[in-house]
Amino acid sequence: MTLDDYRAVAPRGAVDFLLHLAEPMRGRQFVHVTASRYGGGVVATLNQMLPVLNALGIETRWEIIVGTAEFDGVARAVTAALEGTEQVITEAMLERLRATCADNAGRLPLEADLVMVHDAAPLLLVDRRPARGRWVWRGHGDLSSPQASVWAFLRQFVVKYDAAVFSLARFAPALSIPRFLIHPSIDPLSERNRDMPRAEQAERLARLGVPRDKPYLLQVGPFTREQDVLGVINAYRLVKRHHDVRLVLAGSARPGATGVLDDVREVAAEDPDVLPVVLPPDPHADLNAIERGATIVLQKPLRTDFGLDATPAMWKAKPVVASTAGGFRFQLVVGVTGYLVETVEGAAFRIRHLLTNPELIGRMGAAGREHVRRHFLITRHMADYLALLTHLTK
Amino acid sequence: MSAPRPFAFLGCVELQELLPFQARDERELLETLPRVSDESIFSHTAGVLLRRAVLPEAYPNDFALWVGAQVGDRRLAERLAMVDIFDTGSAEAVRAALIATVEEHLSHFGVPPAVTEGEPFHFIQSHVVPVPTGHRVATLAEFQDALAEVDASAVFYHVVEARYRLGRGRSDFAEWIDLSLGQPELADRISRIDPYVGSLERLRERHLAIVGRAMEEGGA
C-alpha cells in the first residue's frame, strides 16, 4: 500500500496531516522489535505501517529476536503470567529469557532515535541498550493483575526504558517511568477490511458454507471458554423465539482445546441455524466476507485484551453488541454504534431490539463506520507514533 | 499600508500520558483534584473536545462523564457538567470550581457511592504536538476557505489551546483578524463565540458563519 491509497478511506486531510507531522522528523530512525514476524494484530499492524512510515521519511526498521524452541515456550508462559494466568516459571526459565535477549542485543542493529520493543519476549533487550537513542516498551496486553513473582522480575527491566506505552489506562501497571496511552488500530486496506465486491463475498460465503437465505448474527473468535461461545448460543436462542435468524460462530480451533468446538457442533447437529465455521490458516479475506454478510455482530468474551474484533465489524457498518471486557467500552459509543451488555439476557434484549427496529441497524452501522474512521484507523495510530517520536526525541 | 502578516494554520495531535493518580469514588476524586497538574485539569475538560467526535450531547468533561457512567451519581454528574473552563477562563479556576462542586455535594450527601464494578477515574495529561497544515492565508476570503478545509484539530489549537492553556487571552483567529487584517469588530464577534458547543466541527461552523456574514456585509 502507498500513503496515497489511504486518502480514499481515512478522514479528510489525514494523509496530508501525516505528511506535515512527519516533515520535521524526516531522517529519524525508528526501530520496532518483536518476537515474531507472523500472526497476530501487532504483526499485522507493523506490516502495514512500516512501508508508510518509510514513505513519510522516517527510517523505520523491524527487527526480530531469535531464540530456541525452549525460549519460545518461556516467552509464551511469561506473556500468559503477565496477563494474569498463573504459570510455573522457574529461575532457569527466566535465565533463558535473559540469555536469549543478551545474544540478540549483541546481534541486532538497535542504534536508532527511537526503539520500540513490543511485549514480553524481547523486553530484556533493554539491559544492553546502546547509549544513543530513546527506548520505549510497548505492552499490548492487560497487565493490570500480573503474576506477582514474574512481574517483580520483569519490572526491574521495564523501568530501564525511557517510557512505556499501553492500550488502556486500566491495563497499565504502576511504574516510575512515563506511561503513554495509544489505542490499537485496524488497516482499512488490509485483506480483513478492504472493500470487497459482492461477487467475491458471495463466492467466499458459499465456499465456507454460510447461506444467505436469512439474516445472521456473528461472533468472531476462537472456540474457547473465554469467548463465552455457549453464552452467545443462549442469547441467540432467546432471540430465535421471535426472529428467524441464524448464528454464525467463526473462529479457529485451538490445538488440544477442541472441547468448546465439540459442544458447538453438538448444538449445531440439533439446530441447523447454528453454524460453526472453522477458519483456514489465513482467514482474513474470509472473515471480511463473513462480517460483511452479518446483520449484527456480537463480541462477548469474558476476558480479552483490547478486543479489537469489534472494530473491523464497525468498519463494515455493523452494529456491535459487546461485553464490557477489555477495550470494548472504548471502541463502542453506547447507544450510537452498538451496545455493551453484562449478561446473556442483555445481549438477547439488545439484539431483539435491533431486529425489531431495522432502521437502527443501518443508523448504528453508519455511525460505527464513521467512529472507526476517526479514531481507530492505522492513520491515527501512525500519527500517535509520530507524536511519540516527536515528544521523546525533541 | 503594509500587507497583512499571513496566518499559518497549525493542527495538533495529542499524546496522552497516564499520571500516577486515580480515584475510585467521589471522595478520592476530591482528594486528588488538588494534586494533579493544570495540564491534567485542561486535558479532562477542554481537551475532551479534541478526543470526542460522535456524541456532542454527552457530558462535556471527563469528570462528569465518569461520575455519571461509572459512579452512577447523576446529581453530581449534572453539576460537574456545568463546570466549564470556557466560563472560568483558566485551568486553575476550573480546578477550584470542580473541588467546590464535589465538596459541596459530599457535604450534603455524606458517604459517596462506591464504584464496585466500574472503572476508576484515571488521571491523564496531554502533550499537544503542533502540526503545520500547509494552509497559509493573507486575506479574510483565504481565511474562510482554509478554515472550511483545515483539519479540525486546528480549530482546537487556535481557539481552545491558545486561549485556555497557552493563556493568549483570545483565540489566534481573533488576534490575527484584529491586528493583521485591522478588523477589530469582527475580531470581537469571533472572540464572543462560546467554545462550549459540543464539538470542534460545530465550533468551526460558528466561526465560518460569522466570517461569512462579515464577508457579505463587506461586499466581498
Side-chain angles (χ1 to χ4, degrees):
Chain A
M1 296 302 159
T2 68
L3 186 57
D4 275 338
D5 292 330
Y6 289 93
R7 291 186 188 276
V9 285
R12 190 170 49 121
V15 169
D16 292 323
F17 193 79
L18 278 175
L19 285 163
H20 290 300
L21 178 57
E23 180 61 34
M25 299 285 110
R26 285 182 78 85
R28 296 270 169 97
Q29 295 172 319
F30 188 10
V31 171
H32 293 268
V33 187
T34 66
S36 167
R37 213 180 282 278
Y38 302 102
V42 176
V43 164
T45 299
L46 287 177
N47 264 322
Q48 306 287 343
M49 208 182 255
L50 252 70
V52 179
L53 286 173
N54 277 300
L56 287 166
I58 312 298
E59 293 175 17
T60 313
R61 301 195 311 274
W62 180 4
E63 304 294 347
I64 308 293
I65 57 163
V66 178
T68 60
E70 184 195 350
F71 168 75
D72 293 343
V74 172
R76 274 194 300 275
V78 167
T79 300
L82 271 184
E83 295 181 357
T85 305
E86 197 74 12
Q87 304 286 311
V88 176
I89 302 215
T90 62
E91 284 293 323
M93 292 166 78
L94 296 176
E95 184 47 40
R96 166 59 57 195
L97 201 63
R98 189 201 297 263
T100 304
C101 283
D103 286 350
N104 279 275
R107 182 182 64 79
L108 295 172
L110 297 175
E111 285 267 358
D113 295 294
L114 183 62
V115 175
M116 182 174 279
V117 175
H118 295 261
D119 286 329
L123 194 159
L124 275 60
L125 283 174
V126 73
D127 213 25
R128 301 192 176 207
R129 61 182 279 186
R132 176 183 160 257
R134 309 278 277 170
W135 279 52
V136 172
W137 186 57
R138 178 64 168 103
H140 290 275
D142 178 353
L143 308 187
S144 58
S145 51
Q147 187 172 327
S149 56
V150 177
W151 178 237
F153 173 76
L154 294 180
R155 195 177 182 287
Q156 60 187 319
F157 297 97
V158 175
V159 296
K160 293 183 178 181
Y161 285 83
D162 297 300
V165 177
F166 299 97
S167 297
L168 288 175
R170 72 152 87 151
F171 290 175
L175 289 170
S176 56
I177 57 173
R179 300 171 300 167
F180 296 100
L181 300 176
I182 295 179
H183 291 331
S185 63
I186 62 163
D187 186 338
L189 304 178
S190 67
E191 280 296 291
R192 173 81 181 265
N193 298 304
R194 66 175 164 85
D195 284 346
M196 181 173 276
R198 283 181 184 278
E200 182 186 354
Q201 184 191 337
E203 180 271 320
R204 287 184 181 275
L205 289 178
R207 188 169 37 74
L208 292 164
V210 178
R212 301 295 307 275
D213 55 331
K214 59 178 80 170
Y216 65 82
L217 316 174
L218 170 69
Q219 171 158 294
V220 174
F223 291 94
T224 60
R225 300 279 168 211
E226 288 76 20
Q227 294 295 316
D228 196 20
V229 178
L230 301 182
V232 170
I233 291 173
N234 286 337
Y236 149 80
R237 282 173 168 158
L238 292 172
V239 172
K240 184 76 173 176
R241 292 181 196 166
H242 308 279
H243 296 275
D244 186 19
V245 292
R246 186 170 276 125
L247 173 65
V248 176
L249 298 161
S252 55
R254 294 271 164 86
T258 55
V260 174
L261 181 56
D262 291 343
D263 291 346
V264 174
R265 282 178 169 148
E266 209 169 291
V267 172
E270 292 172 7
D271 180 349
D273 281 341
V274 174
L275 194 64
V277 175
V278 179
L279 294 166
D282 182 17
H284 303 296
D286 286 341
L287 273 175
N288 189 338
I290 292 174
E291 283 174 330
R292 286 181 191 282
T295 303
I296 298 167
V297 172
L298 286 93
Q299 286 303 145
K300 205 183 164 303
L302 304 170
R303 180 185 160 87
T304 181
D305 50 18
F306 195 81
L308 201 57
D309 275 327
T311 297
M314 288 197 288
W315 179 244
K316 296 169 191 86
K318 306 300 171 184
V320 173
V321 177
S323 69
T324 53
F328 292 131
R329 75 171 75 235
F330 298 90
Q331 290 171 70
L332 269 67
V333 183
V334 175
V336 177
T337 69
Y339 298 105
L340 292 179
V341 297
E342 303 270 0
T343 61
V344 165
E345 291 80 3
F349 167 70
R350 292 303 189 184
I351 295 164
R352 191 180 164 195
H353 177 68
L354 285 167
L355 291 170
T356 311
N357 298 278
E359 74 284 357
L360 261 183
I361 293 177
R363 200 189 313 154
M364 282 195 161
R369 184 169 167 93
E370 283 312 304
H371 182 57
V372 172
R373 193 192 307 279
R374 286 170 183 272
H375 298 287
F376 289 103
L377 292 190
I378 199 167
T379 41
R380 186 276 305 154
H381 201 166
M382 285 189 282
D384 287 346
Y385 277 180
L386 289 173
L388 188 70
L389 182 64
T390 306
H391 181 71
L392 290 178
T393 63
K394 64 188 173 191
Chain B
M1 185 176 163
S2 62
R5 180 174 50 90
F7 184 85
F9 282 87
L10 295 176
C12 62
V13 57
E14 176 197 40
L15 185 62
Q16 292 183 23
E17 182 179 353
L18 184 62
L19 297 178
F21 301 109
Q22 61 178 32
R24 281 178 291 271
D25 61 32
E26 291 167 356
R27 188 159 303 282
E28 287 188 6
L29 179 65
L30 179 62
E31 288 165 1
T32 312
L33 278 168
R35 301 170 63 195
V36 298
S37 61
D38 281 356
E39 281 73 19
S40 179
I41 299 289
F42 179 87
S43 299
H44 288 297
T45 51
V48 171
L49 270 178
L50 197 54
R51 297 191 284 277
R52 189 174 65 197
V54 180
L55 264 184
E57 68 274 23
Y59 291 138
N61 64 61
D62 286 340
F63 302 110
L65 282 166
W66 177 73
V67 168
Q70 303 299 320
V71 183
D73 184 351
R74 204 160 69 185
R75 186 183 291 261
L76 180 60
E78 288 175 358
R79 297 187 65 197
L80 288 172
M82 285 308 293
V83 178
D84 175 6
I85 196 166
F86 307 124
D87 197 25
T88 53
S90 72
E92 198 46 56
V94 88
R95 182 205 306 273
L98 289 165
I99 291 171
T101 304
V102 179
E103 210 163 38
E104 204 266 343
H105 179 80
L106 289 177
S107 72
H108 278 88
F109 295 97
V111 181
V115 181
T116 49
E117 290 184 13
E119 183 95 353
F121 187 89
H122 301 280
F123 283 86
I124 61 159
Q125 72 178 25
S126 302
H127 302 274
V128 173
V129 179
V131 184
T133 63
H135 289 278
R136 195 173 171 86
V137 300
T139 67
L140 193 58
E142 289 173 1
F143 176 84
Q144 184 184 34
D145 291 345
L147 181 58
E149 278 184 20
V150 79
D151 188 85
S153 67
V155 179
F156 180 88
Y157 189 78
H158 290 297
V159 177
V160 180
E161 175 82 0
R163 190 167 171 178
Y164 298 97
R165 177 143 70 177
L166 303 178
R168 292 186 188 147
R170 58 181 174 172
S171 75
D172 292 339
F173 296 157
E175 187 81 355
W176 180 73
I177 287 169
D178 181 2
L179 300 183
S180 289
L181 294 186
Q183 298 196 37
E185 282 181 24
L186 176 57
D188 191 45
R189 269 186 277 167
I190 293 276
S191 281
R192 285 204 300 268
I193 295 173
D194 182 359
Y196 192 83
V197 290
S199 75
L200 293 175
E201 288 303 335
R202 287 189 188 177
L203 195 51
R204 185 206 308 259
E205 285 165 17
R206 299 283 164 92
H207 279 79
L208 285 172
I210 288 177
V211 171
R213 268 204 302 279
M215 299 278 290
E216 283 169 19
E217 288 163 10

